[in-house]
Amino acid sequence: MKIAIMGFGTVGSGAYESALAEGGIEVVKILDRCVRKGYEHLTDRFTSNIEDITGDPEIELVVESMGGVGVAREFVLKCLKAGKHVVTPNKNLISACYKELMDEAEANGVMLRFTPAVGGGIPWLYNLLRTKRCDEVLEVRGIVNGTCNYILDAMYDKGADFGEMLKTAQELGYAEADPSSDIEGTDTLRKTVISANLAFDAAIKEEDVPVYGISTIQACDIAYLKEKGLVCKLMMKAEKKDGAIEAYVEPTAFSVTSLEANVKTNNNLITLEGKNVGTQSFYGQGAGMLPTGESVIQDVIDIRDGKAQAIGSTGASGLKADNSKAVHRYYIRHDRMCEHIEPLIDTFEEKDGIFYCISKPITVEEMHKMGHHRREKGKEMFFAALAE
Ligand code: HSE
């Protein structure tokens, strides 16, 4: 099969390496502004003109690994309209334009696949679709950001510094071009939206999902939780409940003996609850050039061999997001006991002017609202839901 790759950065070049290893996929065009270091021998395949791809009848499939939404959306739509299958690891694009792109693929009789968009090298979305063939998915949840897990794990294990670990995650190719989307939770948010929509045949949007990241975590939070036998992870969760979808992203404290607490370095752990199959968890490299590149090529192979699974009609279930009944107890660390926080607190300890609290059961919406409000006011705060 002859393919093109648009965007030859970390994942695009990883996909190229996996295509070479597979042997039956030929990368004939690469769309990028400049030739990547180490790939100078491919110079004659590079182009900056999308028409060189859409107008080439030999190219059957295009890998979009440019990232972002604007140009990526425009080029993917052009490829679909030109009758090319598309495979993309671009979670921003799929999360924001899921229905539009799937509808366009269907209208043109081609496939759009995005397994690497959630879980990097883990065939999570592939297995989610597989489960749906004969089961009802009730819940999806997990650790889906390799950068955050890398930072949290190093802080817990080695007392490492947040900023230094973020820098290392960037050097290792785990982090996004703008790493604030990793640490503020928006990367996890996009993966939640994609997983929930596939799991529940829904069409929920990013703005439906409350999100709070880990950028305000400090060594004192890790130490306090560790003392209590707890480990903090950034979690996504989406659950079908009472005719709606509860979906949110937040730091969560797990017992040290749990599976989640033992996810190391940049790994991801993603779990589904099937009505019949029960709990299934998927663990592995959630980010990085070769794992994600391989996942891209697995999708390409499935399309080439006519084995790509049906996705189902986007939004067909009509399920909407509703977090009004999602309630947890939270660990909250803040620097001042004020009238907004005090009524929510069950127990607290004060050390050196810092309040380490356990809340009463409160809604996700209320907790996130308070967290964002205090940050806007420049106040110190971190919170983590206490896993049940
Ligand atoms: N920045 C992402 C992560 C890359 O750290 O998980 C994989 O989606």
Side-chain angles (χ1 to χ4, degrees):
M1 178 185 241
K2 289 189 170 39
I3 72 165
I5 298 179
M6 303 194 294
F8 208 62
T10 305
V11 179
S13 53
Y16 177 82
E17 295 301 333
S18 279
L20 268 190
E22 201 266 345
I25 298 161
E26 196 187 345
V27 180
V28 295
K29 286 271 165 22
I30 298 168
L31 183 123
D32 211 314
R33 278 190 304 259
C34 45
V35 178
R36 188 176 171 86
K37 198 160 173 270
Y39 291 89
E40 291 81 2
H41 57 291
L42 302 179
T43 300
D44 60 347
R45 299 187 207 178
F46 274 76
T47 178
S48 52
N49 185 358
I50 180 72
E51 314 299 334
D52 287 343
I53 293 172
T54 51
D56 184 340
E58 285 206 309
I59 295 173
E60 291 179 66
L61 184 150
V62 180
V63 171
E64 181 281 306
S65 41
M66 305 162 73
V69 176
V71 181
R73 172 181 164 273
E74 184 195 328
F75 284 8
V76 165
L77 284 170
K78 281 189 174 169
C79 291
L80 295 171
K81 284 184 210 291
K84 320 277 185 209
H85 304 293
V86 172
V87 173
T88 179
N90 184 343
K91 53 256 159 145
N92 302 33
L93 178 68
I94 296 299
S95 169
C97 310
Y98 176 61
K99 187 158 171 44
E100 179 191 22
L101 297 179
M102 289 305 290
D103 287 351
E104 193 61 53
E106 205 182 323
N108 289 283
V110 289
M111 300 209 134
L112 171 66
R113 281 295 177 280
F114 42 87
T115 305
V118 185
I122 307 169
W124 153 247
L125 294 179
Y126 174 89
N127 281 289
L128 181 59
L129 283 174
R130 198 164 176 274
T131 303
K132 278 179 61 194
R133 294 187 300 191
C134 56
D135 202 350
E136 184 185 352
V137 177
L138 304 173
E139 181 182 327
V140 293
R141 62 177 181 271
I143 296 166
V144 289
N145 186 273
T147 302
C148 288
N149 203 68
Y150 186 82
I151 296 170
L152 292 171
D153 184 46
M155 288 177 84
Y156 182 88
D157 255 6
K158 304 179 222 146
D161 176 69
F162 185 103
E164 273 171 31
M165 285 305 105
L166 175 57
K167 211 162 141 256
T168 313
Q170 287 177 282
E171 284 159 10
L172 290 168
Y174 304 154
E176 297 303 298
D178 171 7
S180 67
S181 62
D182 293 297
I183 61 176
E184 299 299 350
T186 36
D187 179 78
T188 299
L189 162 72
R190 289 167 184 144
K191 292 165 175 171
T192 310
V193 169
I194 296 169
S195 300
N197 284 336
L198 269 202
F200 309 131
D201 291 323
I204 64 167
K205 296 192 182 325
E206 289 174 17
E207 52 269 30
D208 297 331
V209 181
V211 54
Y212 202 84
I214 61 158
S215 65
T216 57
I217 197 167
Q218 293 184 1
C220 62
D221 298 308
I222 304 270
Y224 183 85
L225 293 169
K226 196 171 192 175
E227 209 181 281
K228 309 281 176 206
L230 298 170
V231 183
C232 184
K233 300 289 181 184
L234 183 64
M235 287 293 286
M236 73 158 187
K237 172 163 168 175
E239 183 179 1
K240 192 148 71 169
K241 214 172 180 182
D242 303 331
I245 299 169
E246 265 182 13
Y248 45 86
V249 173
E250 60 188 10
T252 305
F254 289 92
S255 154
V256 70
T257 57
S258 67
L259 275 184
E260 283 80 1
N262 288 285
V263 176
K264 311 307 287 178
T265 62
N266 71 327
N267 285 295
N268 286 186
L269 174 74
I270 325 176
T271 298
L272 66 80
E273 296 290 340
K275 194 170 181 180
N276 300 326
V277 81
T279 307
Q280 287 204 325
S281 293
F282 300 84
Y283 178 85
Q285 295 273 304
M289 171 182 170
L290 293 176
T292 313
E294 176 171 314
S295 185
V296 168
I297 294 305
Q298 292 288 3
D299 273 358
V300 175
I301 295 169
D302 281 344
I303 293 174
R304 182 195 65 193
D305 297 349
K307 290 185 178 152
Q309 301 172 54
I311 281 194
S313 202
T314 45
S317 70
L319 290 171
K320 304 273 181 251
D322 178 4
N323 285 303
S324 57
K325 294 188 200 123
V327 171
H328 301 136
R329 289 196 316 134
Y330 286 90
Y331 157 77
I332 304 172
R333 184 256 308 152
H334 59 101
D335 60 0
R336 199 167 63 90
M337 193 60 91
C338 67
E339 72 277 13
H340 301 298
I341 295 185
E342 204 169 357
L344 306 176
I345 300 306
D346 190 8
T347 59
F348 73 90
E349 291 170 43
E350 187 192 348
K351 284 187 208 164
D352 305 325
I354 299 174
F355 294 86
Y356 299 89
C357 311
I358 301 299
S359 80
K360 297 171 186 163
I362 50 181
T363 65
V364 168
E365 282 170 353
E366 194 175 3
M367 186 68 248
H368 285 225
K369 202 168 141 199
M370 187 195 301
H372 289 298
H373 177 73
R374 289 190 64 88
R375 281 191 70 185
E376 276 155 27
K377 298 247 169 220
K379 308 278 184 207
E380 274 298 324
M381 171 178 268
F382 178 74
F383 68 79
L386 300 179
E388 281 131 32

